[in-house]
């Protein structure tokens, strides 16, 4: 009991806890906008899972330049090639989830790897997809020494050389690989799969004739098709590419089930605070809408979609289911 005239200097424990909780919430609420406003507070690294010089690397560097202009920050590109992007994913997850280490991911890395790698050390839920950056069909190309200018002529030529023709993919467990596999199965060919570690080395060997044909990135092949160093026989998009208007789609040729596009995009660790994720998303969408970036990417043979949020998540879910079925049908399992 208090002495007469004494003032209460304490409150019950539950009231003190409640008051402390309100104080903490108020501090978080005040801090969150400031946290977002300070991004980037230091250099931001965009981690790329392919070697320098390829299509993914080109997109990453273009995006880094534009983000730097939009935010006034410093954006770096770090190539962590290997295991079809899994090394880059793991590297990002080991970094502090503060918005300063982000992942340049691809359709293959994000939607195929979860089915293709039996002991994957990351999962889709570890990341938040920010935005789809580019989208493009693949191109079925052949070296000029191949005596075929159409898909039917190519099929006839390969059928006449059973077991002696190979096809190149830019990495195992990618649309480039699986479309080649399906092409092989569809026409009962006997081609050998030659996988590469990125589109740059794949294109190098296609140009040199070490491998006569393959499905490759449109961006990587475009200049070589235009110069006559490679022949484009078909594209895999739902309609003809504006960059190769005279090249038919596989759908036109009666093989709509082989249609596919590839995309590259930006993802952040799921543990990143939401205010920072919001700031990254806003900056990325603003950068990708910039006419300067769109013109630069389109000049390299990229289509620049504006897809993010729920629409991007639905695309990822749909594609993950599609490639999971194909991985199961082929029995493909990648080595970790």
């Amino acid at each position: 009991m208090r002495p007469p005239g004494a003032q209460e200097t304490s409150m019950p424990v539950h009231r003190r806890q409640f008051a402390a909780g309100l104080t903490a919430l108020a501090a978080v609420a005040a801090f969150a906008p400031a946290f977002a406003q300070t991004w980037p507070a230091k250099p931001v690294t965009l981690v790329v899972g392919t070697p320098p010089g390829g299509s993914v690397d080109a997109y990453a560097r273009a995006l880094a330049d534009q983000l730097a202009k939009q935010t006034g920050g410093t954006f770096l590109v770090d190539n962590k090639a290997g295991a079809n992007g899994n090394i880059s994913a793991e590297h990002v997850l080991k970094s502090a989830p503060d918005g300063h280490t982000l992942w340049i991911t691809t359709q293959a890395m994000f939607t195929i790897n979860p089915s293709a790698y039996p002991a994957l050390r990351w999962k889709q839920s570890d990341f938040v997809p920010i935005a789809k950056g580019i989208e493009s069909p693949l191109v079925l190309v052949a070296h000029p020494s191949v005596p075929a200018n159409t898909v039917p002529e190519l099929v006839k030529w390969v059928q006449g050389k059973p077991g002696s023709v190979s096809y190149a993919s830019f990495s195992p467990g990618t649309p480039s690989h699986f479309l080649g596999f399906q092409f092989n199965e569809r026409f009962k060919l006997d081609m050998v799969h030659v996988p590469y570690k990125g589109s740059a080395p794949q294109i190098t060997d296609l140009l040199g004739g070490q491998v006569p044909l393959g499905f490759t990135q449109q961006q990587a092949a475009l200049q070589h098709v235009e110069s006559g160093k490679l022949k484009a026989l078909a594209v895999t998009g739902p309609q003809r590419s504006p960059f190769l208007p005279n090249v038919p789609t596989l759908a036109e040729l009666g093989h709509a089930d082989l249609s596919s596009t590839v995309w590259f995009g930006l993802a952040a660790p799921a543990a990143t605070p939401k205010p920072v994720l919001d700031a990254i998303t806003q900056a990325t969408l603003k950068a990708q809408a910039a006419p300067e970036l769109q013109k630069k990417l389109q000049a390299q043979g990229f289509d620049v979609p504006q897809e993010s949020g729920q629409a991007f998540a639905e695309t990822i879910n749909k594609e993950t289911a599609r490639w999971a079925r194909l991985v199961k049908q082929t029995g493909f399992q990648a080595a970790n």
Side-chain angles (χ1 to χ4, degrees), residues 23-223:
T23 302
L25 286 173
V28 170
F31 179 65
F35 194 14
Q37 290 170 5
T38 60
W39 184 89
K42 59 183 181 180
V44 178
T45 300
L46 305 184
V47 181
V48 179
T50 60
S55 301
V56 186
D57 182 68
Y59 161 68
R61 294 181 188 280
L63 178 62
D65 288 345
Q66 192 61 39
L67 282 171
K69 293 176 183 177
Q70 296 286 358
T71 66
T74 299
F75 287 79
L76 310 172
V77 173
D78 186 12
N79 298 85
K80 298 286 184 185
N84 195 32
N86 292 329
I87 290 175
S88 61
E90 293 171 19
H91 177 81
V92 172
L93 288 179
K94 289 176 183 176
S95 303
D98 59 5
H100 293 90
T101 305
L102 304 175
W103 188 27
I104 297 292
T105 188
T106 71
Q107 180 199 49
M109 295 175 192
F110 209 79
T111 69
I112 298 179
N113 284 10
S115 299
Y117 286 80
L120 201 64
R121 291 187 287 272
W122 63 273
K123 53 188 181 298
Q124 283 185 342
S125 59
D126 290 332
F127 292 94
V128 174
I130 301 297
K132 181 190 288 185
I134 68 95
E135 191 165 22
S136 178
L138 295 181
V139 185
L140 175 59
V141 298
H143 187 266
S145 63
V146 174
N149 295 308
T150 66
V151 169
E153 290 175 358
L154 179 69
V155 169
K156 184 176 181 181
W157 177 71
V158 177
Q159 287 174 336
K161 301 168 69 67
S164 63
V165 176
S166 56
Y167 73 92
S169 75
F170 48 72
S171 188
T174 63
S176 176
H177 169 199
F178 289 130
L179 287 174
F181 178 91
Q182 288 183 290
F183 193 82
N184 217 8
E185 293 288 300
R186 170 64 48 83
F187 297 106
K188 296 180 172 55
L189 307 176
D190 188 19
M191 294 191 296
V192 178
H193 175 216
V194 180
Y196 288 84
K197 295 182 179 180
S199 56
Q202 179 204 25
I203 283 288
T204 296
D205 274 12
L206 284 167
L207 289 170
Q210 284 85 353
V211 185
L213 62 100
F215 288 90
T216 191
Q217 304 276 8
Q218 177 177 264
Q219 183 271 345
L222 194 56
Q223 64 174 314

Side-chain angles (χ1 to χ4, degrees), residues 129 144 206 240 311 332:
L206 284 167
R240 292 195 181 198
F332 174 77

